[in-house]
Amino acid sequence: MNETVTQTNSCEIHCKGIRGQLLTFKADPFLCREEKCHDYLSDGLIVIQDGRIIDVGDYGTTIKRHPGLNETDTYSDALILPGFIDCHAHYVQAPVIGSSGNTLLRWLDRYVFPMESRFRDKIFADEVAREFMAEMLTQGTTTANVFSTTFETSVDAIFEESERYNTRMITGKVLQDRNIPDSLKDESAEESILLTEKLLKKWHHRGRQLYAIIPRFAPTSTPRQLELAGELYQRYMDRGVYMHTHLDEVQSEIDWVTQLFPDQPNYTEVYRHFGLVGGRSIMAHCCIVREEEWQTLHENECGVAHCPSSNLFLGDGEFKYWEAKEQSRPVRVGMGTDVGGGTSLSILRQIGEAYKVAMMHGRSLDIMKSLYMATRGGAEALHLEHTIGSIASGYEADLTVLDLKPDRFAAWRLNFAESITEKLFVLSAIAPGFTVKATYVAGRKVYDRERKRPLMYASDPDIS
Ligand code: GUN
Ligand code: ZN
């Protein structure tokens, strides 16, 4: 643990402490020796001031540096982790989560497109944004990179709700001007880009909010829309704007892309051709990827979202971590729920599902590697690894506290597990519904399972 020595008595200016068992990552365990990649403290102390971690370390030594610390939340039978990061979800699909599928394209037609069409209505969008954020925070996720849909209302609703919690969220208007029902279709490529830029200027870096340019996937945009989206991305890339889309999820989708863009050698090249591949390009799924495409994703430092419960639920294909993390050209990978294609907003559940997805190919997936993808790996995929995803001095204080005795049966079962890694694996495999005890966003306890009002906005005067 890198213990930053901070000034004694720095907590005369209001500080908060969080004490308990803690685990955090500092490097990628797919690429270096696992013991070197994480820090585990059996009795740690995190000191927070103005929403940031100012000190962290073993309780006994750290407390001496902060004699003025008089407000500390102490957790026993629990593990403090960086807040989970969901690198790919569709908040607008929360109302159709768990709808029985068939193929991806039929599932979209039958459930997703009719539901997304309802987001013209701001009141409906507000309701869904509220439920989505509430469930996300209940599950310990503090940042999500999400799709809204075509309409301005859908973007405003989720950013407004995120602002109330002060969460670091990434979203944007979805661009889709062909092969989509009229009720969702952009009126023209030009207008869709004007609206995107207007929303980008309104929301990007407003508080903790970040904007993404989002062509749904290559088949639902005309070449003109992709071209304009690429131009916009190139213009705003160095200001931290994202490009978020789907890539190589299922063979039928890849075949469709080949038909629509016959001049491009592969699906990734379609995006690159239009200027949509860069450091903040986040590609969801990447289940069926050619070697040349991995190379491109590596060279451009793109982020990839592994969405295991969606892989299984939609039966699309399986993400292959051993391909993505090939030592000669590793790719940045985070975990995603892909709700509503995924069946839960719990990242802990995604970890359990990621294990099964790998096992389908005879590969095991170590719990420390999947926990890394769920926290620091996600931050790296989003190029936010200096801001969120770790418990270290200078980082934003987004944290989740997992209960190591979440219910009677799990508590009993965990008695038979010895190490913390074994316990975490069991927790991810059985993933009880209310495993998260508390969620902190920029140092505020926005979720507390035991509180009378479990969820509270950051600006609520009664919040701790
Ligand atoms: N590809 C294009 N749109 C979608 C979507 O909404 N969900 C998933 N899983 N894949 C997509
Ligand atoms: Zn998706």
Side-chain angles (χ1 to χ4, degrees):
M1 174 74 52
N2 293 329
E3 288 179 6
T4 307
V5 180
T6 48
Q7 328 80 289
T8 305
N9 272 340
S10 60
C11 287
E12 279 165 9
I13 309 164
H14 189 72
C15 281
K16 180 191 179 90
I18 303 177
R19 179 181 181 181
Q21 201 173 175
L22 69 86
L23 177 68
T24 183
F25 291 86
K26 53 194 176 186
D28 185 342
F30 288 98
L31 305 178
C32 57
R33 290 232 331 264
E34 208 175 280
E35 326 74 80
K36 291 191 162 182
C37 296
H38 67 266
D39 283 320
Y40 165 73
L41 295 174
S42 57
D43 184 14
L45 177 67
I46 303 165
V47 184
I48 298 166
Q49 191 173 52
D50 293 333
R52 280 186 190 273
I53 297 169
I54 59 160
D55 200 1
V56 58
D58 169 68
Y59 180 81
T61 43
T62 310
I63 190 64
K64 291 194 186 110
R65 295 196 287 270
H66 303 279
L69 185 68
N70 53 18
E71 188 200 337
T72 299
D73 295 346
T74 301
Y75 293 98
S76 52
D77 295 320
L79 178 72
I80 307 162
L81 286 166
F84 291 129
I85 296 173
D86 185 343
C87 289
H88 176 70
H90 302 250
Y91 98 83
V92 290
Q93 294 176 17
V96 290
I97 187 172
S99 299
S100 104
N102 199 312
T103 64
L104 166 67
L105 301 175
R106 278 193 228 155
W107 175 81
L108 289 171
D109 271 337
R110 174 147 178 219
Y111 301 105
V112 170
F113 296 154
M115 175 49 67
E116 291 194 19
S117 302
R118 296 182 59 183
F119 283 74
R120 258 182 218 284
D121 174 0
K122 179 66 166 40
I123 292 170
F124 183 67
D126 286 341
E127 177 195 329
V128 178
R130 223 169 20 245
E131 286 302 320
F132 178 90
M133 291 293 302
E135 178 61 7
M136 184 188 110
L137 293 164
T138 301
Q139 299 296 345
T141 298
T142 48
T143 284
N145 179 38
V146 304
F147 269 50
S148 297
T149 187
T150 315
F151 319 112
E152 183 170 1
T153 38
S154 70
V155 178
D156 285 341
I158 188 79
F159 272 138
E160 285 164 10
E161 187 66 358
S162 173
E163 265 196 336
R164 291 182 197 111
Y165 286 109
N166 192 27
T167 36
R168 192 170 271 295
M169 290 286 285
I170 309 168
T171 193
K173 177 200 144 36
V174 174
L175 296 162
Q176 35 198 359
D177 70 342
R178 69 165 164 174
N179 295 322
I180 195 104
D182 287 347
S183 54
L184 272 184
K185 201 182 285 177
D186 286 312
E187 277 179 22
S188 73
E190 286 74 12
E191 274 184 53
S192 70
I193 298 299
L194 285 176
L195 178 54
T196 298
E197 191 168 9
K198 173 183 150 192
L199 288 165
L200 184 161
K201 286 182 174 159
K202 176 173 177 186
W203 287 109
H204 190 56
H205 287 311
R206 175 162 142 179
R208 300 183 79 201
Q209 314 312 313
L210 297 169
Y211 198 85
I213 297 164
I214 311 183
R216 179 177 209 112
F217 64 159
T220 45
S221 284
T222 56
R224 178 72 180 145
Q225 191 176 49
L226 293 174
E227 181 188 340
L228 293 175
E231 281 171 20
L232 191 69
Y233 181 45
Q234 296 294 327
R235 264 200 287 135
Y236 283 95
M237 195 182 256
D238 59 1
R239 280 172 259 179
V241 166
Y242 291 87
M243 196 291 297
H244 184 188
T245 192
H246 296 89
L247 174 66
D248 288 332
E249 179 175 3
V250 60
Q251 192 57 49
S252 53
E253 168 209 15
I254 299 170
D255 295 343
W256 195 13
V257 171
T258 309
Q259 265 177 33
L260 292 170
F261 302 93
D263 297 338
Q264 298 306 324
N266 61 54
Y267 196 163
T268 305
E269 282 304 308
V270 173
Y271 292 132
R272 179 151 70 171
H273 173 78
F274 291 107
L276 292 163
V277 171
R280 283 189 181 77
S281 300
I282 314 302
M283 311 295 194
H285 297 296
C286 296
C287 296
I288 307 164
V289 185
R290 296 196 200 163
E291 179 52 32
E292 317 85 85
E293 298 183 272
W294 285 126
Q295 282 285 353
T296 305
L297 298 174
H298 163 76
E299 281 160 20
N300 288 279
E301 301 189 318
C302 299
V304 166
H306 172 20
C307 307
S309 75
S310 173
N311 288 179
L312 296 172
F313 188 70
L314 295 175
D316 288 341
E318 300 85 44
F319 178 77
K320 298 166 189 77
Y321 73 80
W322 53 97
E323 288 184 5
K325 289 294 183 181
E326 163 61 42
Q327 300 272 324
S328 62
R329 44 121 196 88
V331 169
R332 296 167 182 241
V333 181
M335 210 58 104
T337 60
D338 192 32
V339 159
T343 47
S344 167
L345 275 170
S346 161
I347 289 287
L348 192 64
R349 289 223 169 129
Q350 304 308 315
I351 292 176
E353 301 297 81
Y355 180 81
K356 296 177 199 166
V357 166
M359 285 301 276
M360 286 172 76
H361 290 263
R363 305 268 181 158
S364 183
L365 177 58
D366 188 277
I367 182 70
M368 294 307 254
K369 292 190 170 105
S370 42
L371 268 175
Y372 159 80
M373 287 194 279
T375 56
R376 189 178 170 90
E380 286 180 359
L382 300 173
H383 286 249
L384 291 173
E385 68 271 25
H386 303 297
T387 311
I388 56 169
S390 295
I391 305 176
S393 292
Y395 278 71
E396 295 174 348
D398 291 347
L399 304 163
T400 183
V401 184
L402 295 188
D403 194 346
L404 297 176
K405 293 188 170 171
D407 61 31
R408 197 186 56 88
F409 178 75
W412 173 80
R413 162 64 183 95
L414 287 168
N415 282 331
F416 298 95
E418 281 173 10
S419 64
I420 186 69
T421 46
E422 211 184 319
K423 285 180 203 278
L424 285 166
F425 182 81
V426 173
L427 264 188
S428 74
I430 63 176
F434 289 96
T435 304
V436 173
K437 246 182 196 307
T439 305
Y440 293 82
V441 168
R444 295 287 169 120
K445 204 196 302 178
V446 297
Y447 173 70
D448 180 343
R449 202 183 54 191
E450 261 100 57
R451 194 166 56 194
K452 198 160 161 224
R453 286 162 56 209
L455 283 156
M456 288 172 82
Y457 289 133
S459 56
D460 194 311
D462 297 331
I463 199 173
S464 54

